[in-house]
Amino acid sequence: MTVTVAATQMACSWDTSANVEKASRLIHQAAEQDAQIVLIQELFETPYFCIDEQSKHFDLAHTLEEQPTIKHMQALARSLQVVLPISYFERAGQAYFNSLAVIDADGEIVGHYRKSHIPDSPAYEEKFYFSPGDTGFQVVQTRYARIGVAVCWDQWFPEAARVMVLQGAQMLLYPTAIGSETADPTLDSKDHWQTTMRGHSAANMVPVIASNRIGTEQSQGEEITFYGSSFITDHCGAMLAEADRHTETVLTASFDLAFQHQYRRAWGVFRDRRPDLYKPLLSLDGHSD
Amino acid sequence: MTVTVAATQMACSWDTSANVEKASRLIHQAAEQDAQIVLIQELFETPYFCIDEQSKHFDLAHTLEEQPTIKHMQALARSLQVVLPISYFERAGQAYFNSLAVIDADGEIVGHYRKSHIPDSPAYEEKFYFSPGDTGFQVVQTRYARIGVAVCWDQWFPEAARVMVLQGAQMLLYPTAIGSETADPTLDSKDHWQTTMRGHSAANMVPVIASNRIGTEQSQGEEITFYGSSFITDHCGAMLAEADRHTETVLTASFDLAFQHQYRRAWGVFRDRRPDLYKPLLSLDGHSD
């Protein structure tokens, strides 16, 4: 029941085939280190185009069926026998989503998720591009583990993490693009970002794997320096592996899923929940009726 | 809008008046350091009697109206002009609860909470003594801040933290009694415990204040060494102050509540929640219908 996972981080340019090639190289490196589930960061085919609002960027979206990078990654997954959650910009009819396809180790797509929580702040203008996802949270049985997959801003929400673990996730994976804030250049959210996800790991007693972008990207006067710091926790929120802010990296860690299951069960948290008291969570304003 | 809070920790014996005197001394010390809200640990009037199951210990319980330590603390709160959340063993009709009274800076009781989540494991035999609380989570307007108050095991549940902040809590306070595990002497949950609550702080963008017991207590072959490590976080889950595992301590920290409110609002998490997707939280098994 041991599984090895990898988190990766890389810089992206407007040369999509170079980005995909780089991601493929990192996946190869991870597989050489015995990783069975390899996480690539959010929207790695291009720069983080949500840095501003340009209608031409809708042209970057593809339907799941016609997505060329996913087809490439299906072949790679099959060849290396690895599970690949792949983030992409999805077009579906008149709607656009920030989506993720889960490719199993045989190359088949076994899960599909549309980012539920959509951020919107200076240089993170995602509400211009994406509708809030309509799939609900997704737990996907893959060859090596049942994985909970969510995307970037989702990682700030304890509700999402809890739902995925209640529904059987043995680990949570978050592809991400986060860095500096043009609204406040003095603000560094790196520790806040890590602490929030370490909290999901500790409270739910599952590992968390996060892959974030590196590099500086600019557009029309906006600039973001993505802070990397990709990481993997154990089942108590402790850091097992952590990348720095600027280096292309492959991190790996191994888990004994049976041990973690027993630990989670013995600790008693999932026995003692009080759903009768949680009704206010189903509102935005905290009302309880 | 600046408020100063204190977390404390102390060892307890079977001499109740000595315990109450010690707690009062710590409250005096905190007030001398300008603390306006002072947290004393869980069930500080006695040793942690839940270390085993003895029916005679039900005699330790009092009704809220007749609780002598709360009357003492009301006078102390009025004299020092401090807010005191006071943990006690409550008898109410035929029922027994692990409860907490919030005493405002004028000595009035302005809030009352019954611990919602009740643990049960070797040497933490709380289900023998306490019914799960029936008050729901409590946010109490005090002279200096709106405080969310919960007790020990509650601190492991992201749902409780989120509900309290949705309902207006500007900080979360947790009196606690946790230490070694007789079921597994090699297990040290200190970091797990802190990481979980730092996660509540980071995800909800409010300070967390936790006061834990110190000292070794024994009964009928059971033994717990309580690990202290009381702490105060900022609004992003960063440690502002932390006690060691064995020293009687008063920690203080100050917050700008207006700044924290603005930070929380600007970050956007409470704008982007998806209550339509959180229905599985209202079940124990994660079902969504």
Side-chain angles (χ1 to χ4, degrees), chain B residues 33-63:
Chain B
Q33 295 172 45
D34 299 322
Q36 297 161 301
I37 302 170
V38 184
L39 186 63
I40 297 290
Q41 69 211 33
E42 186 185 20
L43 299 172
F44 63 95
E45 295 178 277
T46 61
Y48 180 69
F49 55 84
C50 318
I51 195 169
D52 56 15
E53 302 179 352
Q54 297 193 52
S55 62
K56 69 176 181 185
H57 289 329
F58 285 103
D59 291 342
L60 299 170
H62 294 87
T63 63

Side-chain angles (χ1 to χ4, degrees), chain B residues 260-280:
Chain B
Q260 292 181 347
H261 171 69
Q262 288 160 13
Y263 192 94
R264 203 156 45 236
R265 192 174 57 180
W267 200 243
V269 162
F270 289 97
R271 175 196 62 202
D272 294 333
R273 294 178 65 252
R274 293 289 306 275
D276 58 313
L277 301 182
Y278 301 158
K279 195 90 182 291

Side-chain angles (χ1 to χ4, degrees), chain A residues 1-179:
Chain A
M1 292 281 277
T2 294
V3 62
T4 300
V5 302
T8 64
Q9 62 183 31
M10 58 183 253
C12 300
S13 71
W14 278 111
D15 182 343
T16 293
S17 58
N19 297 331
V20 172
E21 194 174 324
K22 199 187 286 189
S24 304
R25 182 163 45 75
L26 295 176
I27 294 165
H28 270 280
Q29 286 176 27
E32 282 160 20
Q33 296 171 44
D34 299 323
Q36 297 161 302
I37 302 171
V38 184
L39 186 62
I40 297 289
Q41 68 210 34
E42 185 184 19
L43 299 173
F44 63 95
E45 295 178 277
T46 62
Y48 180 68
F49 55 84
C50 318
I51 195 168
D52 56 15
E53 302 179 352
Q54 297 193 53
S55 62
K56 69 177 181 185
H57 289 329
F58 286 103
D59 291 342
L60 299 170
H62 294 87
T63 63
L64 176 60
E65 293 69 27
E66 295 171 354
Q67 224 289 349
T69 299
I70 289 178
K71 291 193 201 313
H72 166 84
M73 291 295 179
Q74 288 183 273
L76 189 59
R78 191 181 310 116
S79 147
L80 298 174
Q81 302 283 294
V82 294
V83 173
L84 297 176
I86 297 295
S87 162
Y88 75 107
F89 184 14
E90 181 189 11
R91 175 167 61 79
Q94 299 301 312
Y96 293 79
F97 298 102
N98 187 331
S99 297
L100 183 140
V102 179
I103 304 171
D104 206 355
D106 62 0
E108 295 302 306
I109 295 173
V110 289
H112 191 244
Y113 172 67
R114 291 169 172 164
K115 183 174 181 173
S116 303
H117 302 95
I118 307 297
D120 205 70
S121 63
Y124 297 88
E125 306 285 0
E126 296 199 21
K127 289 195 199 295
F128 179 75
Y129 295 102
F130 312 124
S131 292
D134 58 356
T135 56
F137 307 114
Q138 293 291 312
V139 177
V140 183
Q141 180 68 58
T142 69
R143 183 183 296 177
Y144 306 116
R146 277 191 312 280
I147 62 174
V149 288
V151 179
C152 199
W153 193 231
D154 289 324
Q155 72 209 345
W156 292 89
F157 296 81
E159 296 92 341
R162 185 65 116 195
V163 168
M164 289 189 281
V165 177
L166 284 174
Q167 298 189 337
Q170 294 170 302
M171 61 185 70
L172 304 177
L173 296 102
Y174 296 101
T176 301
I178 190 169

Side-chain angles (χ1 to χ4, degrees), chain B residues 183-200:
Chain B
D184 179 0
T186 68
L187 183 63
D188 179 1
S189 65
K190 190 268 267 182
D191 288 343
H192 187 191
W193 174 75
Q194 289 187 338
T195 303
T196 300
M197 279 181 284
R198 291 179 62 191
H200 303 331

Side-chain angles (χ1 to χ4, degrees), chain A residues 7-11 41 178-179 188 190-191 193-194 210-215 225-232 239 241-251:
Chain A
T8 64
Q9 62 183 31
M10 58 183 253
Q41 68 210 34
I178 190 169
D188 179 0
K190 190 268 267 182
D191 288 343
W193 174 76
Q194 288 187 338
S211 286
N212 188 27
R213 182 179 292 250
I214 54 173
T225 297
F226 296 94
Y227 52 59
S229 307
S230 302
F231 65 90
I232 304 173
M239 279 285 184
E242 182 183 0
D244 69 20
R245 289 171 179 261
H246 47 77
T247 307
E248 192 176 294
T249 307
V250 174
L251 304 171

Side-chain angles (χ1 to χ4, degrees), chain A residues 115-120 127 132-134 136-137 153 156-160 162-163 166-167 178 181 187 189 191-192 195-196 198-200 202-205 235-237 263 267-275 277-288, chain B residues 115-120 127 132-134 136-137 153 156-160 162-163 166-167 178 181 187 189 191-192 195-196 198-200 202-205 235-237 263 267-275 277-288:
Chain A
K115 183 174 181 173
S116 303
H117 302 95
I118 307 297
D120 205 70
K127 289 195 199 295
D134 58 356
F137 307 114
W153 193 231
W156 292 89
F157 296 81
E159 296 92 341
R162 185 65 116 195
V163 168
L166 284 174
Q167 298 189 337
I178 190 169
E181 299 287 338
L187 182 63
S189 66
D191 288 343
H192 187 191
T195 303
T196 301
R198 291 180 61 192
H200 303 331
N204 294 291
M205 282 160 283
H235 59 293
C236 293
Y263 192 95
W267 200 244
V269 161
F270 290 97
R271 174 196 64 201
D272 294 333
R273 294 177 66 251
R274 292 288 307 275
L277 301 181
Y278 301 158
K279 195 89 181 290
L281 297 174
L282 298 199
S283 70
L284 285 169
D285 64 3
H287 73 76
S288 54
Chain B
K115 182 174 180 173
S116 303
H117 302 95
I118 307 297
D120 205 71
K127 288 196 199 295
D134 58 356
F137 306 113
W153 194 231
W156 292 89
F157 295 82
E159 296 92 339
R162 183 65 116 197
V163 169
L166 284 174
Q167 297 189 338
I178 190 168
E181 300 288 337
L187 183 63
S189 65
D191 288 343
H192 187 191
T195 303
T196 300
R198 291 179 62 191
H200 303 331
N204 293 291
M205 282 160 285
H235 59 293
C236 294
Y263 192 94
W267 200 243
V269 162
F270 289 97
R271 175 196 62 202
D272 294 333
R273 294 178 65 252
R274 293 289 306 275
L277 301 182
Y278 301 158
K279 195 90 182 291
L281 297 174
L282 299 199
S283 70
L284 285 169
D285 64 2
H287 72 78
S288 53

Side-chain angles (χ1 to χ4, degrees), chain B:
Chain B
M1 291 281 277
T2 294
V3 62
T4 300
V5 303
T8 63
Q9 63 182 31
M10 57 184 253
C12 300
S13 72
W14 278 111
D15 182 343
T16 293
S17 58
N19 297 331
V20 173
E21 194 174 324
K22 198 188 287 189
S24 303
R25 182 164 44 75
L26 295 176
I27 293 165
H28 270 281
Q29 286 176 28
E32 282 161 20
Q33 295 172 45
D34 299 322
Q36 297 161 301
I37 302 170
V38 184
L39 186 63
I40 297 290
Q41 69 211 33
E42 186 185 20
L43 299 172
F44 63 95
E45 295 178 277
T46 61
Y48 180 69
F49 55 84
C50 318
I51 195 169
D52 56 15
E53 302 179 352
Q54 297 193 52
S55 62
K56 69 176 181 185
H57 289 329
F58 285 103
D59 291 342
L60 299 170
H62 294 87
T63 63
L64 176 59
E65 292 69 26
E66 295 171 353
Q67 224 289 350
T69 300
I70 289 178
K71 290 192 200 314
H72 166 84
M73 291 297 178
Q74 287 183 271
L76 189 60
R78 191 180 311 117
S79 148
L80 298 174
Q81 302 283 296
V82 293
V83 173
L84 297 177
I86 298 296
S87 161
Y88 75 106
F89 184 14
E90 182 189 11
R91 174 169 60 79
Q94 298 302 311
Y96 292 79
F97 298 102
N98 188 330
S99 296
L100 184 140
V102 179
I103 305 171
D104 207 353
D106 62 1
E108 295 302 306
I109 295 172
V110 288
H112 192 244
Y113 171 67
R114 291 168 171 163
K115 182 174 180 173
S116 303
H117 302 95
I118 307 297
D120 205 71
S121 62
Y124 297 88
E125 306 285 1
E126 296 200 20
K127 288 196 199 295
F128 178 75
Y129 296 103
F130 312 124
S131 292
D134 58 356
T135 57
F137 306 113
Q138 293 291 312
V139 177
V140 183
Q141 179 68 59
T142 68
R143 182 183 296 177
Y144 306 116
R146 277 191 312 280
I147 63 174
V149 287
V151 179
C152 198
W153 194 231
D154 289 323
Q155 71 209 346
W156 292 89
F157 295 82
E159 296 92 339
R162 183 65 116 197
V163 169
M164 290 189 281
V165 177
L166 284 174
Q167 297 189 338
Q170 295 170 302
M171 62 184 71
L172 303 177
L173 295 102
Y174 296 101
T176 302
I178 190 168
S180 55
E181 300 288 337
T182 55
D184 179 0
T186 68
L187 183 63
D188 179 1
S189 65
K190 190 268 267 182
D191 288 343
H192 187 191
W193 174 75
Q194 289 187 338
T195 303
T196 300
M197 279 181 284
R198 291 179 62 191
H200 303 331
S201 169
N204 293 291
M205 282 160 285
V206 294
V208 164
I209 300 98
S211 285
N212 188 27
R213 184 179 289 248
I214 54 174
T216 297
E217 299 180 12
Q218 288 158 322
S219 179
Q220 300 191 126
E222 295 290 349
E223 179 178 294
I224 304 176
T225 297
F226 295 93
Y227 52 59
S229 307
S230 302
F231 66 90
I232 304 173
T233 71
D234 73 2
H235 59 293
C236 294
M239 280 285 186
L240 291 183
E242 182 182 1
D244 69 20
R245 289 171 179 260
H246 47 77
T247 308
E248 192 176 293
T249 307
V250 173
L251 303 171
T252 63
S254 298
F255 307 118
D256 179 337
L257 297 180
F259 167 79
Q260 292 181 347
H261 171 69
Q262 288 160 13
Y263 192 94
R264 203 156 45 236
R265 192 174 57 180
W267 200 243
V269 162
F270 289 97
R271 175 196 62 202
D272 294 333
R273 294 178 65 252
R274 293 289 306 275
D276 58 313
L277 301 182
Y278 301 158
K279 195 90 182 291
L281 297 174
L282 299 199
S283 70
L284 285 169
D285 64 2
H287 72 78
S288 53
D289 52 8

